[in-house]
Amino acid sequence: MNTRAWIVFLDESGVSLLPQVRRTYAPRGRTPLLRHRLNWKRASMAGALGYHSTDPERGARLCFHLKPGSYDTTALIEVLEQMKAFYRGEQVVLVWDGLSARWSRAMRAWVTEQDWLTLERLPAYAPELNSVELLWSSLKKRELANLAGDHLADVADATEQGIHRINHNPQLPWSFLAHTGLTIHPTHPPNLRKDQ
C-alpha cells in the first residue's frame, strides 16, 4: 500500500420522498403531522470521505454524488471518474464493502487500467468500519429528518445543505473516522519525536 496516499472510504445510500421520521419538539397538545404524497421515487447518493495517510494537516476531503434510481457498475465507474478528477495527481486507496457492482468483471477491468487507484475490501457485515455510514446518519438525522418534499429536487437540496454543513466543519469528518475505531496516521514509536 502506498504510504503517501489518500485513504478514501466510499459508500452509497438511498433516499426517497417518504420522510425520515424523527422525534421533534412541538407545543403540548399539538402533535406534529407530516403530510406527503406517498411518492416512492428514490434517489441514490454516493459519498467518499478521504483522509491523507501521512499528513493530517491536509484535512479530510468529501466527494459526493447524487443520482435518481440506484447505482450499478456503470454509475459507480462514473463516480470513480469524478473521484479521479477530485484527487488529480494523487494516489488513492479506496476502501469499500463487497457489493456485487463494486467487484464485477467490468469494474475489475476498469480498475486495472487505473494507476492512481488501489482497492481494499472491508470485512463482510462491518458497516461500523466505514466512516461514510456516519455521514449518512448525520444527514438523515438533521437535513433529511421529517422532510416531506414533493420532488426529488427537494431531497437533493436538503442533502446538499447537509454536505455543505459537514464540509464547513473540519472536525466532523475526523469524528466519523474516530467513531469507527480505525486510525489512518501511524503513531510515532516512543523513542522518536515528531521533529526528528
Side-chain angles (χ1 to χ4, degrees):
M1 180 169 77
N2 188 331
T3 58
R4 294 187 177 270
W6 284 88
I7 310 300
V8 179
F9 294 85
L10 188 138
D11 193 43
E12 301 90 34
S13 185
V15 290
S16 74
L17 291 179
L18 295 178
Q20 301 276 332
V21 179
R22 298 287 185 256
R23 286 184 171 202
T24 187
Y25 292 99
R28 185 174 291 211
R30 294 189 193 162
T31 303
L33 297 176
L34 287 176
R35 299 187 196 287
H36 59 89
R37 300 179 183 200
L38 291 174
N39 192 326
W40 293 94
K41 285 187 180 176
R42 294 185 54 80
S44 295
M45 42 191 185
L49 266 174
Y51 309 90
H52 198 271
S53 60
T54 59
D55 188 1
E57 298 301 316
R58 294 183 73 179
R61 289 187 180 176
L62 172 57
C63 185
F64 180 76
H65 187 266
L66 181 71
K67 72 177 284 310
S70 58
Y71 284 100
D72 59 8
T73 299
T74 304
L76 282 175
I77 289 173
E78 287 175 19
V79 170
L80 294 178
E81 289 284 1
Q82 285 185 356
M83 275 185 52
K84 182 178 183 178
F86 190 72
Y87 288 100
R88 186 177 307 123
E90 304 270 6
Q91 291 295 305
V92 171
V93 176
L94 186 65
V95 182
W96 59 8
D97 62 27
L99 183 71
S100 59
R102 298 178 186 158
W103 300 98
S104 68
R105 183 174 296 149
M107 178 64 78
R108 288 193 311 254
W110 183 85
V111 167
T112 58
E113 297 172 1
Q114 309 304 311
D115 61 351
W116 62 279
L117 183 65
T118 304
L119 297 182
E120 293 292 335
R121 191 174 186 161
L122 283 169
Y125 308 108
E128 69 278 2
L129 296 178
N130 193 332
S131 58
V132 181
E133 294 285 352
L134 294 148
L135 177 136
W136 300 144
S137 178
S138 180
L139 286 174
K140 290 177 180 181
K141 288 179 181 174
R142 297 259 319 252
E143 286 77 15
L144 298 176
N146 301 319
L147 176 67
D150 290 327
H151 306 283
L152 280 176
D154 300 330
V155 175
D157 290 344
T159 303
E160 190 172 314
Q161 289 173 7
I163 294 300
H164 286 300
R165 172 181 57 85
I166 292 165
N167 267 333
H168 285 94
N169 182 341
Q171 286 83 28
L172 204 50
W174 290 103
S175 72
F176 297 157
L177 180 65
H179 192 76
T180 67
L182 301 174
T183 58
I184 299 293
H185 309 291
T187 56
H188 297 279
N191 60 345
L192 293 178
R193 294 191 333 249
K194 284 187 177 183
D195 59 341
Q196 286 184 334

